[in-house]
Every structure is written in C-alpha cells, then in structure tokens.
Amino acid sequence: MSAPRSTTPWPLVALFTAGYLAPYLLPTTVGRLDSGLPLSATQAGAVGSALLLSSAAAGFLLASRVDRVGPRLLARIGLVLAVLGYGGAALTHTVPAVIAGVLAGGFGSGTATAVAATGIAAQPDPHRTTTFGLLGVSALAGAVYLTVPHLGPGHGQPLAAIALTALAVWPLTARLPASTAPRRTRHQPKSPLPHLRAGLLLALTLPCWSLAQNSLWGVSGRIGLDQAHLTEATVGAVFAIALGAGLLGVIGAGALGPRLGRALPIGAGTALIAACIALSASATDLTTFATGEIAWNTLYPIVLSYVIGLAASLDPRGRWAVLVGSASSLGTAAGPLAGSLLSAQAGFAAMGVVLAAGLLLIAVPMTAVAMGKGRRSLPVVEIPVEAPTYDKATAA
C-alpha cells in the first residue's frame, strides 16, 4: 500500500494567491493608472513602485511576528486592508485617495503573503504547496488579463479584481490556526554569518537583478500599446500566454535539478534574460513583443530557483536566504519607477539596452559566487511536476 497522500493546505494556497496577485497585475495596473487618471507615465510607475514597496515593508515587519500575533488574525487584517485599500482606490478618481488606497492595499497584500509564506514553510512538502500557489496566481492573473480589456476603460478594474480576490479568500481564513502552538524556545548559540564576502556580493547584486526584471514588467503594457501599437486585448492575451510559459519555467527548474550546476544556469540564464528584455523593449510588432515577453517569463523562474538555492547554500541556517530575499524585494519595488523614468528619458528601446547591459554586468559577480560555491551540494528549488489542472510565476 502506498503512503497516504499529504493534504494540500488550500487556505495557504488561496492566501498566497491573494497576496501575489497585485505584482502579477502590475503592467495593467500601472497602464490604467496612466490612462485613467491625471498621472504621467512616470507618476503611474511611481505609484506601482509604492504599492510594491508597501507590500515589501509588510513582509519585513511581520515575517517574524506571524507566530506571535496568530496566522488567522493577521491574515484577516491583511485581507481587510486589501479589500478596503484596493476597493477604495478602484472606486475613487481622486489621485491622493487612489494612492492612499494602493498603499493600504499593498500592505495588506504583503501581510497575506507573510502569513502564507510562514505557513507554507512549516508544511511537510513546502515546494509542492508553493507550486500550487504559483499555479493559482498565474491562472487568476491570466484570466484577469484576458477579461479586463472587455470591461471598458478606467483605472479601477485591475484594482477591483485584487480586492474581490481578497474578499473571496476571507472565508478560508477560518481554517487557519488562531495561534501557533506550542511556543518554541531556541537556545542556539549565536554564530557569525558564514561566507560573508560571497553573501554580501549576492545581497548587493540581486536587488539590481530584480530591479531590471520589474523595470520591464512595469512598463510592458505601455510597450505593447504605445510602441508595438497593439490593442489592450492583444496585450492581455500575450501576458496570459507569458504567465503560462512561466509555469513551464517553474516545472523546468525542478526537472533540471542539479544537473547543470549553479554557475551555468545563473550566468547563461541571466544573459539570455538580458537578450529577452532588449528584444521586448524594442518591439514594434506583435511577433517581437510576444517572443520577448514569453521567452523572458519562461527563463526568469528557472534562474531565480538557482539563485535561491545558491543563497541557501551559503548558510545552512538560512540567514543568507532571508537577507538575499529581502534585498531582492527592494529591487522589485523600485522596478516600475525605474522603468518609467528610463523609458520617459530615453525611450523604450534604449531602456531595454540599459537594463540588458546592467544584467550582463551583474551576471559576472553572481556567476563568480556560484562558481566559488560549486563544490557545495546544490539545494535548488525542486518543483514537483505533479500539479492541479491548471499557471507563472514571477514571482515572486
């Protein structure tokens, strides 16, 4: 008889989906803020960056407090903030009120993500649960990209979709524990961070790596609409397909495992991502735009999984993994504003060249760190191929 199959913690999967939906919808959110409100493209990008920064701030503040406050209460607080923040921003056309709502909603998204991540880490098979969450948010984001263009103009539709998702997840919080018991006491001796030089180098380069990715993602909608002269429905369809391609990347990372080592996937993968960014940013037609976006979304999670594994290999207690992940979130938050500023000053094509050149430079020290740790075992994120019938990830 085979061993009983572990139960999937669907409340955590749903909470993960609600928390990650806002970053996945960033291109259409920023594009509609630009077109639906008296905001310039740069100002709309700044609002997108503020949303992500607020979400990252929640993660920094709450990641170590989930056990103390209680997952159920904290998840409900996050979902309430998301419903009221994004919902209020969707219903008003006053720019200060929209910004305030986006900030509150972003903090709610980050709170939900913190609870989900903490709960998933305690699961017997966290990679399987994470995969289900990535599948859920990708499928939902793809559906939104296909639907929103048919709902008319205005800035509110993508924000309303995030708010409604948070509202739909609320009933599932009843299945989360009110508190985490028993209280754990740890008497681990303090020890300095190992591999200090390599860890610092990775922590300093990864924010730039994440910034480049989200600089493109934050303005991808405008590239498709303004430079490639596509309709919003066509751009949404490209994004939906790209999110599906990201799923293939997630599965591919698990299938490759340690066969290629670390240095080759990180170095060569980052170089290929740089080429995809330059291609997508220079797109003037559907073929070029779709090729760049889909290829980039396929490669991104593969490289990211090896970067996460590299950070984990630097310290068995996971401290470098936490620090590198937190540093990466700062680059993610700055991406939309950086992309808007670069494209406003130099144009989309030049922005792509700058981002691609930056990625090629960053690939050198990242690859050096990976080569330096090549003799250590490779803890890549092994993603099981088994999944429910149904999409990305970015991201995270």
Side-chain angles (χ1 to χ4, degrees):
M1 278 260 325
S2 59
R5 192 172 178 178
S6 59
T7 303
T8 302
W10 294 114
L12 293 177
V13 172
L15 203 59
F16 183 100
T17 301
Y20 269 89
L21 185 58
Y24 272 64
L25 296 182
L26 191 64
T28 189
T29 300
V30 170
R32 285 189 167 241
L33 287 173
D34 177 18
S35 62
L37 295 174
L39 293 172
S40 67
T42 301
Q43 290 170 333
V47 175
S49 287
L51 186 160
L52 296 178
L53 187 60
S54 180
S55 182
F60 279 119
L61 291 172
L62 300 173
S64 63
R65 294 176 170 85
V66 175
D67 291 346
R68 219 176 309 160
V69 178
R72 184 188 302 168
L73 175 61
L74 205 54
R76 287 178 171 177
I77 292 173
L79 293 175
V80 167
L81 284 173
V83 171
L84 296 179
Y86 293 124
L91 294 174
T92 183
H93 287 78
T94 305
V95 171
V98 170
I99 295 174
V102 163
L103 290 175
F107 198 89
S109 293
T111 301
T113 301
V115 176
T118 302
I120 288 171
Q123 295 298 308
D125 190 352
H127 297 317
R128 180 173 182 268
T129 307
T130 301
T131 302
F132 285 174
L134 294 174
L135 290 167
V137 69
S138 297
L140 181 57
V144 172
Y145 277 118
L146 292 173
T147 304
V148 162
H150 303 289
L151 300 179
H155 73 285
Q157 287 88 338
L159 296 173
I162 306 171
L164 290 174
T165 300
L167 185 63
V169 170
W170 170 275
L172 294 177
T173 60
R175 295 168 56 187
L176 295 173
S179 62
T180 305
R183 181 174 294 178
R184 289 176 260 174
T185 58
R186 298 180 181 177
H187 302 285
Q188 295 176 335
K190 291 185 177 180
S191 60
L193 281 168
H195 307 291
L196 186 61
R197 185 181 303 174
L200 284 176
L201 189 57
L202 195 60
L204 289 173
T205 53
L206 200 58
C208 302
W209 189 86
S210 298
L211 184 145
Q213 317 291 330
N214 282 276
S215 293
L216 174 69
W217 188 238
V219 299
S220 287
R222 287 168 43 216
I223 293 173
L225 294 172
D226 300 339
Q227 182 172 276
H229 306 294
L230 306 175
T231 65
E232 187 179 18
T234 302
V235 171
V238 170
F239 288 156
I241 296 171
L243 291 170
L247 170 60
L248 298 178
V250 173
I251 296 173
L256 283 173
R259 294 181 183 87
L260 299 179
R262 295 189 198 93
L264 181 61
I266 291 176
T270 297
L272 289 173
I273 287 174
C276 292
I277 287 178
L279 178 65
S280 183
S282 65
T284 57
D285 55 50
L286 174 59
T287 301
T288 307
F289 179 72
T291 300
E293 291 288 329
I294 293 171
W296 169 60
N297 275 275
T298 303
L299 291 166
Y300 170 77
I302 296 177
V303 179
L304 181 61
S305 69
Y306 283 93
V307 173
I308 293 172
L310 176 59
S313 75
L314 297 176
D315 178 22
R317 291 173 60 182
R319 289 170 292 179
W320 276 122
V322 173
L323 290 172
V324 169
S326 300
S328 175
S329 68
L330 296 179
T332 299
L337 178 58
S340 295
L341 288 172
L342 280 172
S343 60
Q345 295 296 321
F348 294 121
M351 177 204 72
V353 171
V354 170
L355 295 177
L359 277 177
L360 291 176
L361 290 174
I362 292 166
V364 175
M366 292 177 67
T367 305
V369 174
M371 293 178 67
K373 298 298 143 197
R375 293 186 179 90
R376 298 175 63 89
S377 60
L378 180 66
V380 293
V381 181
E382 295 184 1
I383 317 253
V385 175
E386 180 183 1
T389 55
Y390 105 57
D391 173 0
K392 163 178 176 173
T394 192

